Amino acid sequence: DSSVLCRTPAGLLPDTITYISTVASAIASLLEAVSYDRPEISFHSTANGPFRTAGFVQSAHMHGRGLGVADASPSVRVGITACSATAWVADSSVRCLYASGAGAANAITATIALRTTTLSSSFSYDAPSGVRRD
């Protein structure tokens, strides 16, 4: 018989899996047999936050797929500012605590197990009082 059935583990890493089989003292290998899709953020629970306010911190949930089958110590940035805390919730959700800031159309970027995903132009901070955004 000429087939071997292998069960592929869940994973995130960009590396591919190599299978090695030993049958009757003969060794065979299959290199780069499996690879994993990139994590993906499709939306988040909060579309905007307050203009720079001392001491303000708010929680937001990022939703998507491929965010990990276990806690892979994710990190999230809103624009160029890292969230003060990030927690893995499920394969489809990551939560972060972000501070107030400034700017419109900020990207949200998550890094999970060395792989990065970005949701472009998806978060804005409120304009300061008396300033209009057109």
Side-chain angles (χ1 to χ4, degrees):
D1 297 283
S2 61
S3 66
V4 174
L5 177 63
C6 299
R7 192 173 184 131
T8 304
L12 280 172
L13 296 176
D15 299 333
T16 54
I17 295 174
T18 300
Y19 288 107
I20 299 175
S21 176
T22 305
V23 179
S25 299
I27 297 175
S29 63
L30 177 59
L31 302 176
E32 300 181 3
V34 175
S35 62
Y36 297 105
D37 293 335
R38 291 190 154 285
E40 178 183 304
I41 295 175
S42 51
F43 70 97
H44 54 91
S45 63
T46 307
N48 74 308
F51 182 71
R52 294 183 181 125
T53 305
F56 175 86
V57 176
Q58 182 163 334
S59 176
H61 283 260
M62 313 310 144
H63 300 279
R65 63 184 186 87
L67 303 178
V69 294
D71 186 353
S73 301
S75 63
V76 176
R77 288 189 329 266
V78 176
I80 60 169
T81 305
C83 290
S84 58
T86 304
W88 174 82
V89 177
D91 181 54
S92 60
S93 182
V94 172
R95 181 175 52 91
C96 85
L97 295 176
Y98 68 92
S100 59
N106 289 288
I108 292 179
T109 302
T111 302
I112 301 162
L114 306 176
R115 303 194 80 183
T116 300
T117 179
T118 300
L119 188 58
S120 300
S121 303
S122 60
F123 187 89
S124 295
Y125 291 100
D126 296 336
S129 298
V131 175
R132 284 184 31 189
R133 267 197 197 141
D134 294 324

